[in-house]
Amino acid sequence: MLKRFSLISNAILGFLVNKHTATLLFFFTFNFYVFGQYTITGKIFASGNKEALPFVPVIIKGTNVGAQSDFDGNFVIKTNTHGDSLIASYVGYKRIAKAINKNLQTQVINIAMEDVGGLILEEVVVKAGENPAHRIVKNCIKRKSVNNRNSLEAFDYETYNKLEFDLNRIPKEMREKKILKPISFIFNNVDSSNSGEKPSLPFFIVENLSQFYYKKHPTRKKEVVSASKMTGIENSSVSQVLGDMYQNINVFENNILVFNKQMPSPISDNGLFYYKYYLEDSAFEGDKYIYHIRFKPKRTQELSFTGNMWIADTTWGIKRIEMSLPKDANINFINRVNIIQEFTYNDSVWFLTKDRLVIDFAPTKKAIGFYGRKTTSYKKITLNKPKPDIFYGFSNEIIVNDSATKKSDEFWAQNRHDSLTLREKKIFKMIDTIQSLPIYKTWVDIFYLIVAGYKKVNSFEIGPYFNMVSYNRVEGLRLRFGMRTSNVFSRWYQLNGYLAYGILDEKWKYSIGFKTFLTKKPHRQLIGMDYKSDYEILGQSSNGFSQDNVLASFLRATPLTNLTRVDKTEAYYEREWFPGLITKLFLIGRSFTPVGSNKYLYYKKDGSVGEKESVVNTEARVNIRFAWKEKYIGEGFNRAFLGTKYPILQITYSKSLQNAFKGEYDYHKLTVNVSDRIRVAPILGYTDYVVEGGKIWGAVPYPLMELHGGNQTYIYDYMAFNMMKYYEFASDQFVSAAIFHHFEGLFFNKIPLLRKLKWREVVTVKGVWGTVNELNRKTLIFPSSLSALNKGPYVEASAGIENIFKIFRIDAFWRLNYQLPKAIDNFGFKFGFQLAL
């Protein structure tokens, strides 16, 4: 500043002494400060996946002038100091130099950094001391309870989410094919040369603005989505799932759940067991002294992270962290995951202020896939000012304001935390254009047909396609045509039905039903009614293939002959009290009629045997399902539940209505079911369990008892006893348990040849114990194939391999008791289809 003042003073003095000399001096000074200064801007990104690299230092060679890339990989250097090249160096990437054009005042230099595929360090011998990185990490772990924002009494903030999905790695030859010609303009308009992005096809982008509230005692969360802008999908529940309550990764927790996989945090209490740490650098950033720590997994293919974190001295909080999954991690369909978080010290805690998640999905590394990018920022943070309990409600509540999707462009321009890039503005326009094209609707319909099983035809949907043609020994070739109304017809009610005909038995089967919403907000309520007359497999699990599934027609271990004609009329009312608690009331009338050579026999009063044409029953039923803090997606009749970390409880109580609608029996029935997933340590995998118990009070025939679910196909059924036959065991009171443990490759990952296959081990044990009282044994005579569990509990076990070619599993089963006469029938294999990450 003094130098500048001196030069200007000399110029003025020179002007007074000599006008011509002053003129020359003025132009010299102006040229030095204006034309001598130049600006370099650019973006730093990984050459492999083209994703931005944050916090990368860049410097002009031979000087101390430089900058650091921001959260999105961008940097700016303004200087008068000249140099011939720009140097970028970053842990895990090759050092790179880019030439500077000295003749340009303003220039753009984008830097693509190549992954070295694992950092090679020279041998270091450490004597009589601890790894300095360990001391820093241990201090950070000790201070987790202080720096974790969830330890605060209360906080709230405004959060802005932006999510984008793009189809990527589309080969040039495919882009030129006829099927993509209608959208070829997209690849011409997306300029990837300067952004570092590969040409891609954007198909979904959404912005969300919400206010998030948290209270510790009692723990309550509430989020109010005030604005949501979606392009590429129409579903308000997406606004909920993309909010901060569902999409938050907290590195201060011991374990982080990503894609339903539990992974240890780099600052887990047991971090030294899972990770290797290296102290890379330390320096002042502002008034904070910061340590740069690099970390990587201790063991090959273990589900843990690799990356870098910057830890502040004294407070031992994380200032920023960037981590990714190792390339050899045992996880499917994901080539790369980058998680980047930036924290700011706020009074007493390091508070998350920016969050970025980038995922590269694809069947294989070079196949067509898609990128998912989520960027979140946090502003207007308020600490330790709790609101009254009534404000938060009973459960974690997410409210989407009615006006959320109706905000103007002016509103977004004023309220979004970051302005849209030119590329993002193009994407909004392009997706709108794509959706107006006929080919887009065709693609959507094909995808819906594959996933849902229905073909959309105007206001109706035809299907499911896998039930249209099937075969069994009773009906022979079975043909079925089904239909239901779509959302085009109405979003408030649905009509559905089907008609089927058996070529061999020459009988018609049919079903018709409707359901309608009473309310959608604030509490979901609906009513419905169905009538069905068709064959059923009694003694099959609720998850088993229906008798008319085309796949089951070819994969049955024994011919299907044990069918029952069931005429069923059902009316119901459903209410969701809050997310996770659903009650359903039923009024059900059923008539069971044996098919073929099967007969319903009973003992008459004189001891002779009589035959019943059918069993008729009417009952009222209430079902309660409680899943605390369960997540779901979907706003229509069919919702996909995303699970909960708490046990799921289901209670069903039934009371028969004797003499009502020809009901013949008088009984009470109670069933309780509890299921959960237990995650102990990431290295050991996880355990699922299901425990169920039930009892019937009163006299009932065996079709109304608990017919324990068997499986007589070659396809694995996780809800069935896979070595039990249909109609083999019945109980009027019972307790059953099933335990499934998934090792997630714990053993196979240690075997070099098997490691590359990424197979995963799974074991199961299932058992059921039950009884049938004497009265119920005589109500209807058991057929020869059916019996009670008189010899104690039935038990079976299995060991299997999951993730074969990423989609198959195969299990070996052993029937441990109630063994069949032929030894070979007590052992078997089942295979299954399983799409899992």
Side-chain angles (χ1 to χ4, degrees):
M1 189 69 185
L2 290 173
K3 183 178 179 181
R4 183 186 296 235
F5 177 76
S6 176
L7 287 171
I8 294 173
S9 299
N10 290 337
I12 296 173
L13 182 60
F15 179 81
L16 297 175
V17 176
N18 188 315
K19 181 178 179 181
H20 297 289
T21 304
T23 303
L24 292 173
L25 183 60
F26 171 78
F27 279 107
F28 171 78
T29 305
F30 182 80
N31 181 71
F32 180 80
Y33 283 102
V34 178
F35 293 97
Q37 187 182 60
Y38 63 97
T39 302
I40 301 174
T41 62
K43 182 173 184 178
I44 304 175
F45 56 91
S47 62
N49 63 0
K50 308 302 179 184
E51 289 303 325
L53 293 176
F55 320 126
V56 179
V58 289
I59 191 170
I60 297 175
K61 185 179 180 181
T63 75
N64 60 357
V65 177
Q68 190 178 65
S69 63
D70 64 14
F71 199 78
D72 299 310
N74 301 309
F75 68 91
V76 178
I77 300 175
K78 294 183 178 181
T79 182
N80 297 316
T81 304
H82 288 262
D84 60 2
S85 59
L86 197 64
I87 306 295
S89 179
Y90 196 48
V91 175
Y93 293 85
K94 293 181 180 179
R95 184 175 180 271
I96 188 171
K98 301 281 284 189
I100 297 175
N101 190 336
K102 297 180 180 180
N103 298 319
L104 296 177
Q105 276 188 279
T106 302
Q107 55 191 297
V108 177
I109 300 178
N110 292 313
I111 301 175
M113 302 196 72
E114 184 179 350
D115 191 340
V116 299
L119 190 65
I120 301 174
L121 299 177
E122 295 180 1
E123 181 181 1
V124 177
V125 179
V126 180
K127 296 181 179 179
E130 182 185 24
N131 180 345
H134 288 182
R135 178 185 64 85
I136 298 166
V137 172
K138 286 178 179 178
N139 284 329
C140 182
I141 292 172
K142 288 179 182 178
R143 294 278 297 179
K144 279 198 309 179
S145 60
V146 176
N147 289 311
N148 187 352
R149 66 182 185 181
N150 289 343
S151 65
L152 297 169
E153 288 302 314
F155 59 80
D156 60 83
Y157 51 75
E158 181 181 84
T159 178
Y160 169 75
N161 283 287
K162 181 167 58 183
L163 179 70
E164 176 191 338
F165 284 106
D166 299 336
L167 200 64
N168 62 13
R169 285 188 293 273
I170 304 177
K172 183 178 179 181
E173 57 272 17
M174 180 175 288
R175 282 181 260 152
E176 295 173 351
K177 287 188 176 181
K178 185 177 180 180
I179 190 172
L180 294 180
K181 285 293 183 183
I183 58 170
S184 60
F185 69 92
I186 292 172
F187 304 107
N188 298 327
N189 289 336
V190 176
D191 182 8
S192 62
S193 58
N194 292 328
S195 66
E197 301 285 354
K198 292 182 179 180
S200 56
L201 173 61
F203 62 88
F204 174 65
I205 186 169
V206 61
E207 294 180 280
N208 239 37
L209 189 68
S210 62
Q211 192 70 25
F212 182 85
Y213 304 89
Y214 171 87
K215 185 178 181 180
K216 186 176 181 181
H217 298 296
T219 302
R220 292 288 184 268
K221 298 176 184 179
K222 180 178 181 178
E223 186 165 11
V224 180
V225 180
S226 56
S228 185
K229 183 178 182 181
M230 289 174 281
T231 301
I233 192 169
E234 294 182 7
N235 194 323
S236 63
S237 66
V238 173
S239 300
Q240 298 180 7
V241 178
L242 295 182
D244 195 57
M245 193 178 296
Y246 283 175
Q247 299 293 320
N248 187 271
I249 294 174
N250 188 350
V251 295
F252 293 99
E253 300 291 339
N254 283 328
N255 298 307
I256 301 172
L257 203 61
V258 182
F259 312 115
N260 210 29
K261 301 285 185 181
Q262 183 175 252
M263 305 179 194
S265 167
I267 56 171
S268 163
D269 291 346
N270 300 312
L272 294 176
F273 176 77
Y274 294 106
Y275 292 101
K276 294 179 180 179
Y277 299 96
Y278 306 90
L279 176 59
E280 296 290 335
D281 195 7
S282 60
F284 274 102
E285 290 188 18
D287 61 345
K288 301 286 191 302
Y289 195 71
I290 306 297
Y291 299 101
H292 175 189
I293 304 292
R294 181 171 63 89
F295 55 89
K296 68 177 185 179
K298 276 192 172 181
R299 289 165 288 275
T300 303
Q301 286 193 201
E302 199 165 278
L303 285 177
S304 48
F305 298 101
T306 182
N308 301 270
M309 55 185 171
W310 289 260
I311 298 174
D313 196 2
T314 309
T315 59
W316 304 110
I318 292 180
K319 189 178 189 303
R320 58 181 176 262
I321 185 170
E322 58 97 8
M323 54 189 184
S324 59
L325 289 179
K327 292 182 179 180
D328 61 355
N330 193 340
I331 192 167
N332 295 327
F333 311 117
I334 296 178
N335 288 338
R336 192 175 182 91
V337 176
N338 290 332
I339 300 169
I340 306 168
Q341 295 185 331
E342 190 169 320
F343 299 80
T344 301
Y345 192 67
N346 194 330
D347 292 336
S348 61
V349 65
W350 284 90
F351 209 92
L352 182 64
T353 53
K354 204 157 188 181
D355 190 0
R356 180 179 174 88
L357 175 65
V358 180
I359 308 166
D360 181 5
F361 297 91
T364 62
K365 291 184 178 180
K366 295 183 179 180
I368 297 174
F370 62 90
Y371 283 136
R373 302 175 179 86
K374 180 176 181 289
T375 303
T376 307
S377 56
Y378 308 84
K379 291 185 177 180
K380 302 177 182 178
I381 299 169
T382 303
L383 304 182
N384 294 323
K385 293 183 179 179
K387 299 184 180 297
D389 290 347
I390 193 172
F391 171 81
Y392 299 93
F394 177 67
S395 65
N396 293 348
E397 189 174 13
I398 301 178
I399 300 172
V400 181
N401 289 342
D402 292 336
S403 61
T405 58
K406 302 174 183 177
K407 300 298 183 182
S408 64
D409 292 339
E410 290 75 17
F411 172 89
W412 283 106
Q414 294 174 5
N415 290 276
R416 64 166 57 95
H417 291 185
D418 295 308
S419 58
L420 294 178
T421 64
L422 178 61
R423 179 181 179 279
E424 288 167 340
K425 291 177 181 177
K426 284 184 177 181
I427 288 173
F428 271 112
K429 293 180 180 179
M430 283 190 293
I431 293 178
D432 289 336
T433 303
I434 292 171
Q435 287 183 306
S436 66
L437 299 175
I439 191 173
Y440 173 83
K441 185 178 182 301
T442 301
W443 289 352
V444 171
D445 289 350
I446 292 174
F447 179 79
Y448 186 79
L449 175 65
I450 295 172
V451 174
Y454 284 84
K455 173 69 174 73
K456 293 183 177 181
V457 181
N458 299 322
S459 298
F460 298 91
E461 298 177 0
I462 298 173
Y465 63 84
F466 44 77
N467 292 123
M468 287 187 166
V469 180
S470 60
Y471 176 85
N472 62 69
R473 285 282 185 91
V474 176
E475 298 176 278
L477 181 67
R478 174 184 165 114
L479 305 176
R480 169 173 154 167
F481 179 81
M483 182 182 291
R484 69 185 184 189
T485 57
S486 68
N487 286 340
V488 177
F489 184 85
S490 175
R491 292 180 178 271
W492 279 86
Y493 64 90
Q494 182 186 87
L495 305 174
N496 60 81
Y498 68 81
L499 186 66
Y501 183 75
I503 301 298
L504 181 62
D505 70 342
E506 298 182 342
K507 294 185 181 300
W508 291 96
K509 299 90 184 175
Y510 41 86
S511 173
I512 188 170
F514 85 93
K515 51 188 170 184
T516 180
F517 283 108
L518 299 178
T519 60
K520 293 185 178 182
K521 293 182 180 180
H523 301 293
R524 174 186 169 106
Q525 298 182 84
L526 59 90
I527 59 172
M529 188 170 182
D530 297 289
Y531 176 75
K532 175 182 175 182
S533 180
D534 203 345
Y535 293 156
E536 289 186 13
I537 305 172
L538 300 185
Q540 181 185 42
S541 81
S542 58
N543 186 62
F545 283 118
S546 61
Q547 86 284 356
D548 59 352
N549 186 288
V550 64
L551 195 59
S553 300
F554 301 101
L555 295 173
R556 296 196 183 278
T558 56
L560 181 61
T561 58
N562 201 353
L563 293 174
T564 303
R565 181 87 184 211
V566 179
D567 294 280
K568 179 180 178 180
T569 304
E570 176 183 86
Y572 58 88
Y573 164 76
E574 180 181 322
R575 178 186 174 107
E576 182 179 60
W577 299 89
F578 56 82
L581 178 60
I582 299 173
T583 58
K584 202 168 182 180
L585 305 177
F586 299 84
L587 182 62
I588 303 172
R590 289 182 294 175
S591 173
F592 301 86
T593 305
V595 175
S597 60
N598 300 316
K599 296 180 180 181
Y600 288 159
L601 304 176
Y602 68 99
Y603 291 109
K604 297 180 180 180
K605 292 182 180 180
D606 59 4
S608 62
V609 176
E611 181 180 346
K612 285 179 66 69
E613 181 180 344
S614 60
V615 169
V616 181
N617 180 63
T618 305
E619 70 177 28
R621 183 186 302 171
V622 57
N623 176 264
I624 302 171
R625 185 180 187 275
F626 179 62
W628 180 242
K629 297 182 180 180
E630 185 174 50
K631 305 169 187 177
Y632 68 88
I633 186 170
E635 60 181 359
F637 292 107
N638 300 315
R639 296 193 296 181
F641 292 97
L642 305 181
T644 173
K645 63 180 181 179
Y646 300 97
I648 298 175
L649 172 66
Q650 296 188 74
I651 301 174
T652 303
Y653 171 74
S654 304
K655 174 63 179 76
S656 66
L657 303 177
Q658 192 176 26
N659 300 321
F661 305 103
K662 300 182 181 180
E664 300 177 285
Y665 304 97
D666 183 21
Y667 64 89
H668 302 260
K669 182 178 180 180
L670 177 66
T671 304
V672 179
N673 179 291
V674 179
S675 60
D676 192 16
R677 173 165 291 177
I678 301 174
R679 302 178 186 271
V680 181
I683 194 173
L684 299 177
Y686 62 91
T687 300
D688 292 333
Y689 73 83
V690 182
V691 178
E692 187 174 58
K695 182 176 176 61
I696 299 173
W697 293 268
V700 295
Y702 63 80
L704 298 179
M705 293 182 193
E706 184 68 27
L707 296 171
H708 303 295
N711 181 11
Q712 289 183 254
T713 72
Y714 294 111
I715 303 171
Y716 171 74
D717 181 355
Y718 81 98
M719 292 185 66
F721 293 94
N722 284 276
M723 295 302 294
M724 187 185 291
K725 297 180 179 181
Y726 303 137
Y727 247 45
E728 187 172 0
F729 295 109
S731 302
D732 57 21
Q733 62 178 357
F734 72 97
V735 175
S736 67
I739 299 175
F740 316 79
H741 186 77
H742 302 259
F743 288 99
E744 295 284 82
L746 175 62
F747 304 109
F748 289 152
N749 287 348
K750 308 296 186 295
I751 304 173
L753 294 178
L754 292 178
R755 183 184 299 156
K756 293 184 179 181
L757 298 175
K758 295 187 176 182
W759 287 354
R760 302 168 188 168
E761 317 84 349
V762 58
V763 294
T764 67
V765 177
K766 294 183 179 181
V768 58
W769 172 84
T771 61
V772 178
N773 63 44
E774 288 300 321
L775 180 61
N776 287 335
R777 292 174 187 267
K778 297 177 180 179
T779 303
L780 210 61
I781 300 174
F782 279 24
S784 59
S785 61
L786 184 66
S787 65
L789 293 163
N790 300 317
K791 303 175 184 179
Y794 168 91
V795 183
E796 67 180 33
S798 72
I801 300 174
E802 300 178 298
N803 208 42
I804 301 173
F805 302 117
K806 299 183 180 181
I807 58 173
F808 295 106
R809 67 176 288 171
I810 184 167
D811 295 78
F813 285 89
W814 292 267
R815 182 166 169 149
L816 301 182
N817 57 1
Y818 290 94
Q819 296 201 336
L820 302 173
K822 294 183 180 179
I824 194 172
D825 292 333
N826 298 305
F827 174 80
F829 287 96
K830 307 279 183 179
F831 75 92
F833 303 94
Q834 183 173 283
L835 279 175
L837 296 175

